Amino acid sequence: MRLRWLLIVFGLSVWLSPLRAQSSVLSVGVRGGGQLWLPASTDGATEVKCGAGGNAVLDLRYSFYGCMANDLVGLGFTLGAGVGYGGTKINGKQDRTFTNTDYLGNQLDYTTSASFCRADKFATGEVSLMAALAIGGFTFNIGPRLMLPFRVTTTQTVTDATIDAYIRRLDVTVTNEAVTGKLNTPYAVDAEASSLAPYYVLLGMEAGWEFMLSRDAKGWLGLQLYANVGLWSNETSGNQTPSTLISVAPITGPDKDATVIVGNPDGLIGNKRYLDCGLRIYYALPVGSQRHARRINTRDTRYHRNRYRYY
């Protein structure tokens, strides 16, 4: 066991020995693209799917690299924080069948079909700690990102509803009539101001390229494609209990219309996996006392001197 640890330590020291040159980089950038939920249904009679959404994030990063291979390769980490705003949608549809008995004892076989949309708008704060790799101008980052939604507003709407009532004694089907049940749509559903979890743990991945703005420039421009995938959240199970979106009360009198009862569609949506992707653009510059920077490409010779020349 002791020999194994000695070999591990020796291997790490050999691997890290070229990383004596160090580079610290500060960058400010913006991210923008699409964001959505990948939802699951809590009810076998209900289908739910993601809708279109988007976001924009302003982020600040500090990156530390250990440089090797003539400063063309950097290994290290990047620590980031950001704030953003965006929106998401979840669309769904529930089909149900049930039977009511009216005040005369007639049986009415109901078939209902209702579509709904839940739209969330929210700001986000985030922090991340990612492993960073740079080879020349190519960059790749991967690691955890903590996303904290705040100022959340949720709008839940029944966008379409069809209520069919088959009266067995008369062998007649009545559709969307007040006497057997009718819902005028779109119909807003009361909901809590926030239906999102307080935080989400994401896996962030970024890959792209950095470009020198000029030979004497102190900083450089970077472009990256990014994706963040939800790994875990502290979402409670309270909103994962199956619910009924549309139900109809029995007819209680000759001059009475059937009352339509509308449930909260949030109960039809189970665990939601977060996903966003898009483009990040940023400006970076070396910081620190030495302001050492790794080389972006092979023609970048700003940090090299002629070894045959004396100073």
Side-chain angles (χ1 to χ4, degrees), residues 255-305:
D255 299 321
K256 302 289 187 179
D257 293 334
T259 301
V260 177
I261 304 167
V262 183
N264 191 326
D266 192 55
L268 301 173
I269 303 170
N271 289 326
K272 307 180 295 295
R273 185 177 296 276
Y274 179 82
L275 173 66
D276 71 24
C277 58
L279 178 68
R280 176 177 179 245
I281 181 171
Y282 60 93
Y283 179 76
L285 70 160
V287 295
S289 57
Q290 296 183 351
R291 295 181 180 270
H292 181 86
R294 56 183 181 79
R295 296 168 61 195
I296 303 301
N297 55 60
T298 56
R299 288 183 282 182
D300 179 8
T301 59
R302 292 169 298 144
Y303 300 100
H304 293 268
R305 296 178 178 177

Side-chain angles (χ1 to χ4, degrees), residues 36-39 48-52 89-91:
L36 51 88
W37 301 106
L38 301 176
V48 293
K49 57 184 179 180
C50 64
K89 288 184 179 181
I90 295 178
N91 300 313

Side-chain angles (χ1 to χ4, degrees), residues 139-158:
T139 60
F140 178 74
N141 304 325
I142 185 170
R145 172 170 281 129
L146 179 65
M147 183 183 75
L148 302 97
F150 64 99
R151 298 187 65 86
V152 182
T153 58
T154 300
T155 303
Q156 305 198 104
T157 307
V158 177

